[in-house]
Amino acid sequence: MDKSNEAKILIIDDEEVVLDSCSQILKGSSYLLSTAPDGTTGLAKIKEVQPDLVFVDLKMPGISGFEVLEKIQEIDPTIVTVVITGYATVGSAVDAMKKGAYDFLPKPFTPDEFRLITRRSIERRRLVLETIALRREKEMLREQFASIVSHELKAPLGAVQQNVFVLEHELSHLMNEDQKIKLERIKIRIDELLKLINSWLRVISVDIDKLKGGFSPIQITTPIISALESMETYATRKNILLETNYMEPLPPVNGDALSLSEVFVNIIGNAIKYSADGTKVIIKVEEKQGQLLISIRDSGIGIAEEDIPHIFEGFYRAKSGQSTSGQGIGLAVSRRIIDAHGGSISVASELGKGTTFVVRLPSSTI
Amino acid sequence: MAKKLLIIDDDPDFVSGIKSILDGAGFEVEVCYNPKDGLQALQTKTFDLLLLDIMMGRGAEGIMIARKLRKDAKLREMPVLIITGMREQIAFLFPGEPIHPRFVEVDELVEKPVEPNLLIEKVNNLISLAEAKKTGKKIKSP
């Protein structure tokens, strides 16, 4: 509804007295009123005047009020519709509302009733349009943010890192140990930034709900093994043993292997990150009552009790004196992925003792 | 004889980084900073390998080049190393998962920034793979 214009109302009713009295009631108000004596004329007028609000009499000769309602939905679902009914047909008014009508006006009605319902319906139309505009704006912001993050932040940082690589490559025989360590630090910090940007992009640009369309029966060990492979170097560097225990045979899971392995990369990566050198991370998979239980246990620094409720929230990191870097998005994404699979993630932890994450997934045999 | 490489990428700083690595490894490297010049170079000269940025400018103009390569019988045989800063938009972001875009017969995808040794290794692998395919074909055909 254009702000410079008055709200446009159309009344479709075969009783001339209704049309006349409505016109009379709204006279002098800021509404622009048009009328139609039957459905066909009404629909033509809707296309012509593009009203904000349409009153439709349910009982009319020619095409029925219900049909008119349906057609209005097709023409423009944001148009607010109110049905006019006799007392005897309140039941059908409810049916009409189920089909998308916003409200109903029982005949006979007083001028006040009519004014009130008109005001409420016009307000409704304003809210509907505002919601659509806000949604569109939010979507645009999301898209633009993703492209700003990727182009304006990631590309320059990638170019910086590329040139650091070159310096290291070409100067390695000229640099002393101290200089090499400094360059290595630069590389690590840039790499962390790049990873952080990637996680942001991931959160912003991927619609996890769309995953469900691509589910197929998979062996849960497939994404676990591929996660373990990509974490191997990291674990070796920190001298941490990744121990697996698969209680086979395991039933298949209906899911998406790529996103599930992302979950395990996140959880196993965290386990390694917060573990002390020379310790173990144990990954165990078993079937219990039609569910697959995947537990990842470390004997690392643990999570404080007050932090546990927040760790899946995204952009949150525990404050309990950790010196390691991280982005705190991984677990939030992981939970959304597991949710999409109809499963759950839980965590049990004790400060200084270690943490166990348990992922539960329904097996696809049920 | 030194192998001839073409880089098509619109980020001069990034290009200077990989060019330096490839120069150092003994390749003869030519650079085009936009898709238009890149296509022209591809049509007028012969290269042993193309390094292509898939997300140039505002859209994926690199993909347009890759599509043109696929349609060209001669260029189709040239190996392509696709370099992208936006792997997550081309495939699902995932560490350790090899992605083969399969735009042309011999291609592979690496993400920016790329480690010098990995870059040299990929370039060499793709060139020898493409050569093996070519000679293999020649032996088979009468």
Side-chain angles (χ1 to χ4, degrees):
Chain A
M1 170 172 45
D2 204 320
K3 268 191 182 157
S4 60
N5 283 338
E6 297 157 314
K8 287 178 273 189
I9 299 171
L10 172 67
I11 302 173
I12 309 173
D13 200 311
D14 61 320
E15 285 180 72
E16 227 182 302
V17 57
V18 173
L19 296 179
D20 283 350
S21 57
C22 288
S23 307
Q24 203 60 40
I25 297 166
L26 292 182
K27 211 174 214 174
S29 66
S30 61
Y31 305 115
L32 220 71
L33 184 72
S34 27
T35 57
D38 59 74
T40 314
T41 321
L43 287 170
K45 278 235 164 121
I46 285 169
K47 287 177 184 158
E48 184 194 318
V49 302
Q50 296 174 314
D52 298 293
L53 165 63
V54 182
F55 286 94
V56 185
D57 184 14
L58 280 184
K59 270 198 168 162
M60 288 184 292
I63 67 170
S64 78
F66 278 105
E67 232 171 296
V68 175
L69 280 179
E70 266 170 36
K71 291 264 165 62
I72 294 176
Q73 284 279 333
E74 282 167 27
I75 296 167
D76 179 357
T78 69
I79 294 176
V80 173
T81 49
V82 173
V83 293
I84 306 174
T85 61
Y87 271 131
T89 53
V90 167
S92 45
V94 172
D95 288 342
M97 285 174 72
K98 280 183 190 160
K99 282 198 167 156
Y102 171 59
D103 206 344
F104 69 96
L105 183 64
K107 275 194 274 198
F109 48 83
T110 67
D112 264 351
E113 281 166 358
F114 181 65
R115 275 192 211 103
L116 179 71
I117 215 160
T118 301
R119 208 167 52 234
R120 282 185 57 229
S121 305
I122 291 295
E123 176 64 12
R124 162 81 180 180
R125 162 77 170 170
R126 199 181 59 75
L127 288 175
V128 166
L129 293 183
E130 210 170 281
T131 308
I132 290 169
L134 283 173
R135 234 179 244 151
R136 203 173 290 148
E137 203 169 300
K138 185 182 143 205
E139 191 55 31
M140 269 173 58
L141 271 176
R142 196 178 68 95
E143 279 169 12
Q144 282 184 2
F145 187 57
S147 101
I148 287 168
V149 167
S150 52
H151 283 109
E152 312 302 320
L153 292 178
K154 203 183 157 189
L157 207 54
V160 169
Q161 183 78 318
Q162 194 62 55
N163 284 281
V164 172
F165 283 166
V166 174
L167 287 182
E168 187 192 38
H169 190 66
E170 291 174 356
L171 299 178
S172 62
H173 58 291
L174 297 173
M175 285 190 294
N176 63 33
E177 278 313 303
D178 189 45
Q179 290 166 329
K180 278 184 190 169
I181 288 171
K182 288 200 170 78
L183 201 59
E184 186 63 26
R185 260 187 215 151
I186 295 175
K187 258 174 56 184
I188 290 173
R189 297 306 284 265
I190 298 176
D191 186 55
E192 283 171 3
L193 268 180
L194 283 168
K195 281 191 182 134
L196 174 63
I197 295 172
N198 275 338
S199 311
W200 282 353
L201 273 175
R202 179 83 177 78
V203 172
I204 296 159
S205 61
V206 176
D207 188 351
I208 287 171
D209 297 328
K210 283 190 188 143
L211 279 179
K212 289 178 195 164
F215 280 5
S216 61
I218 52 161
Q219 277 300 317
I220 194 63
T221 44
T222 310
I224 294 176
I225 289 167
S226 88
L228 288 170
E229 274 168 8
S230 64
M231 283 290 119
E232 212 174 72
T233 331
Y234 185 28
T236 318
R237 207 187 322 144
K238 280 199 73 178
N239 187 27
I240 283 162
L241 182 69
L242 299 176
E243 192 178 286
T244 56
N245 183 3
Y246 309 140
M247 314 283 246
E248 286 173 303
L250 295 162
V253 168
N254 201 27
D256 174 68
L258 268 187
S259 61
L260 284 176
S261 53
E262 194 183 340
V263 171
F264 297 125
V265 163
N266 281 330
I267 300 176
I268 297 170
N270 269 336
I272 299 172
K273 187 193 286 175
Y274 297 121
S275 286
D277 280 21
T279 56
K280 256 199 260 184
V281 171
I282 301 163
I283 298 105
K284 187 174 164 190
V285 188
E286 59 191 317
E287 188 198 3
K288 256 186 197 162
Q289 290 143 8
Q291 274 194 326
L292 276 162
L293 260 67
I294 305 104
S295 63
I296 294 107
R297 193 171 95 220
D298 67 58
S299 34
I301 56 171
I303 307 165
E305 215 179 317
E306 68 264 28
D307 290 329
I308 287 182
H310 305 292
I311 60 165
F312 293 107
E313 282 173 4
F315 300 98
Y316 185 89
R317 274 181 58 220
K319 301 174 212 77
S320 17
Q322 294 162 357
S323 61
T324 4
S325 70
Q327 52 263 35
I329 302 170
L331 285 177
V333 174
S334 297
R335 180 157 81 172
R336 284 170 59 200
I337 292 173
I338 295 299
D339 280 350
H341 282 81
S344 67
I345 304 190
S346 58
V347 60
S349 188
E350 204 179 325
L351 268 186
K353 292 265 174 71
T355 304
T356 305
F357 277 90
V358 179
V359 174
R360 287 182 174 76
L361 289 168
S363 77
S364 76
T365 42
I366 303 177
Chain B
M1 212 181 76
K3 297 287 179 199
K4 283 178 74 179
L5 312 182
L6 175 66
I7 302 174
I8 308 179
D9 192 318
D10 62 353
D11 184 339
D13 290 333
F14 177 78
V15 168
S16 103
I18 52 169
K19 184 174 185 308
S20 173
I21 297 165
L22 295 166
D23 283 340
F27 293 104
E28 199 179 299
V29 187
E30 201 168 305
V31 181
C32 292
Y33 293 102
N34 64 64
K36 210 178 137 220
D37 292 352
L39 266 180
Q40 201 180 355
L42 285 170
Q43 275 152 0
T44 51
K45 297 170 207 168
T46 311
F47 298 95
D48 296 291
L49 179 130
L50 168 67
L51 293 109
L52 177 66
D53 176 14
I54 208 88
M55 306 294 282
M56 274 180 286
R58 292 189 60 82
E61 288 179 54
I63 290 176
M64 186 262 294
I65 292 186
R67 289 212 180 104
K68 288 208 166 134
L69 294 181
R70 204 218 301 253
K71 283 185 197 152
D72 187 305
K74 190 177 141 251
L75 290 175
R76 202 162 37 203
E77 290 184 358
M78 175 183 57
V80 179
L81 183 60
I82 292 166
I83 303 182
T84 171
M86 314 265 292
R87 182 155 72 143
E88 61 278 5
Q89 293 198 353
I90 291 171
F92 218 58
L93 173 76
F94 185 69
E97 196 74 15
I99 297 166
H100 293 274
R102 298 268 175 249
F103 280 120
V104 290
E105 230 174 287
V106 181
D107 63 13
E108 202 166 336
L109 186 138
V110 289
E111 197 173 3
K112 287 181 185 181
V114 44
E115 295 259 7
N117 290 328
L118 183 79
L119 178 66
I120 295 166
E121 186 194 309
K122 296 258 176 199
V123 166
N124 279 325
N125 278 353
L126 286 174
I127 290 176
S128 37
L129 210 67
E131 275 173 357
K133 271 211 170 153
K134 230 178 179 176
T135 46
K137 264 183 199 161
K138 272 182 190 154
I139 292 162
K140 268 182 214 162
S141 57

